[in-house]
Amino acid sequence: MNLNVTDLLDLSHTLAADYLAGFAYPWQALDGIKDLILTLGPNLPEEYEQRAENVWVHKTATVAPTAYLGAPCIIGPETEVRHCAFIRGSALVGAKCVVGNSVELKNVILFDNVQTPHYNYVGDSILGYKSHMGAGSITSNVKSDKTLVVVRDGENRIETGRKKFGAILGDHVEVGCNSVLNPGTVLGRGVSVYPTSCVRGAIPEGSIFKAPDNIVTRK
């Protein structure tokens, strides 16, 4: 499976396009998300307003009064941040996204039209254009033994050098309800994951993940 940035993600749908284009693998960009937001924020167009120090929200975005926006973060146009959402910081959220009830974001890039609508945890991850996480689905970003995360692509093992790395979702990925994406999961474009799945490693573009031993190509 090709795991390069441009094979997984349409860079025309994020403010992070130029930044991400500088990396071979998308997880290599995770370390610099905070600095990226701090660089982008002061130079955003006047359609954005600064709600707090290093917190920028587009004027067309909707943010519920009970939501928490931790710095630094950018919330894009027509995005909806619903009640009790917890953005811990270092979150670049694109246009027309949904950050839902009790969703927690930390050190993430959400491309345009991403939906994390209900009870999701997304940490140290990148979610591609029009990807969707079903209710209760989460990214697990730290291994239980605290060793460095490895991306498993068939028989190949790619060392990331990272202790914290959740998942990369390619464009148009669908993750079923109550699924867990284990550290170092990479889902290719158009992958669908069955509800209550436990996913690990790289799943090829256009696949349907039913179980670890039952991954089929979409017809």
Side-chain angles (χ1 to χ4, degrees), residues 136-201:
S137 61
I138 64 169
T139 65
S140 175
N141 61 335
V142 180
K143 295 174 65 175
S144 59
D145 61 5
K146 308 302 188 293
T147 56
L148 299 180
V149 176
V150 174
V151 175
R152 292 176 171 81
D153 181 17
E155 298 299 319
N156 298 323
R157 291 167 49 92
I158 303 173
E159 303 285 345
T160 70
R162 297 189 56 82
K163 183 178 177 181
K164 293 186 177 182
F165 168 23
I168 306 295
L169 273 59
D171 302 328
H172 300 279
V173 163
E174 291 281 344
V175 179
C177 296
N178 290 327
S179 293
V180 176
L181 307 181
N182 284 282
T185 295
V186 181
L187 304 180
R189 282 186 167 126
V191 166
S192 292
V193 175
Y194 268 27
T196 70
S197 295
C198 184
V199 188
R200 185 185 307 276

